[in-house]
Amino acid sequence: MITGSALDGPVPEKAPWVVVRAAPTCPRCFGPLHGPSAWSSAFRCDTHGDVLPYQPPWPPTSTALEAIRKSAVVPVWLPWPLPAGWLVTGFGEVGDQRTGARASLVALTGPSLMEGPADLLVIAEEPGIGIGAAFAGLDGPDPGEGFDSGPPNAKIHVLGHPTALWCVGGAADRAVYAGEALGNWLWTIAWPADAGCMIALSELSLLDVRDHDLDVPYGAFSPRLED
């Protein structure tokens, strides 16, 4: 995982973005995939077998947002209104033209409640995809049995309804919360770990941008979307 923040201010719509990863990767380990062949239409990881491909991330532009809105089978969650000072810094998806996007990722960057910049990924995915667990630093593909056995650690609003999230153990440098919304996993993953208090305390409200035309403010591309 590449570290660092992308809080560099708004960028032009036609900025000359260059996506570092040129080929789809495994959503569970970010390893290389064997593409479809004459014998199979599936992408295959040497470690995890047949998987849906994690596509190269989209840059933070309205054109990219429109593309993922059209391809997504799952919600494309966006905190709205955005917390003060926060910008949308990229998009990601798992799937292909045959399957549609079975997982969506929205990256954001802004000031933390403590000190310095923070990064946030909001992920919706079908069970078993594994991209949320991979970014969380878990073996995956899901949050793990019993992760929601105790009282929730945070509550956010999803389409206006209170939704429970539980803190999930993962890599030490990030805060990971997971829950369920509309039959799909919902992940919020924040860097640094102290930024997790934003999730627990700020009462984020999520909208599915597939159903809304929003004037979204964009920042520089987030390296958090890259494996």
Side-chain angles (χ1 to χ4, degrees):
M1 177 67 65
I2 299 176
T3 60
S5 179
L7 187 59
D8 295 325
V11 295
E13 173 70 19
K14 296 183 179 180
W17 293 105
V18 177
V19 176
V20 175
R21 188 175 65 246
T25 56
C26 175
R28 295 188 58 183
C29 67
F30 304 116
L33 295 176
H34 303 285
S37 66
W39 297 272
S40 173
S41 61
F43 286 82
R44 186 168 184 83
C45 170
D46 287 338
T47 301
H48 298 107
D50 290 351
V51 297
L52 293 177
Y54 176 44
Q55 298 292 345
W58 289 96
T61 67
S62 58
T63 300
L65 175 57
E66 185 62 23
I68 198 170
R69 286 176 62 184
K70 291 180 178 179
S71 66
V73 178
V74 298
V76 182
W77 298 124
L78 176 68
W80 197 263
L82 291 178
W86 280 73
L87 302 169
V88 173
T89 51
F91 306 96
E93 60 185 343
V94 177
D96 55 26
Q97 291 183 342
R98 176 177 56 90
T99 65
R102 302 294 174 139
S104 69
L105 301 86
V106 176
L108 306 102
T109 301
S112 68
L113 295 181
M114 298 299 186
E115 182 178 355
D119 297 299
L120 176 67
L121 290 184
V122 182
I123 301 172
E125 65 173 336
E126 293 181 351
I129 298 295
I131 191 72
F135 275 108
L138 302 171
D139 291 335
D142 297 319
E145 185 175 352
F147 83 98
D148 57 353
S149 58
N153 302 108
K155 287 188 178 180
I156 61 175
H157 286 82
V158 177
L159 303 179
H161 301 287
T163 300
L165 296 177
W166 285 265
C167 189
V168 181
D173 66 337
R174 66 207 71 177
V176 180
Y177 291 81
E180 181 272 334
L182 301 184
N184 298 288
W185 290 122
L186 167 61
W187 300 81
T188 59
I189 305 172
W191 293 262
D194 288 347
C197 62
M198 181 189 69
I199 301 168
L201 301 176
S202 63
E203 297 185 359
L204 293 177
S205 181
L206 302 184
L207 292 180
D208 183 355
V209 295
R210 296 179 302 170
D211 302 324
H212 298 272
D213 291 317
L214 303 173
D215 186 13
V216 177
Y218 297 107
F221 175 73
S222 173
R224 298 295 183 186
L225 287 166
E226 298 171 350
D227 56 281

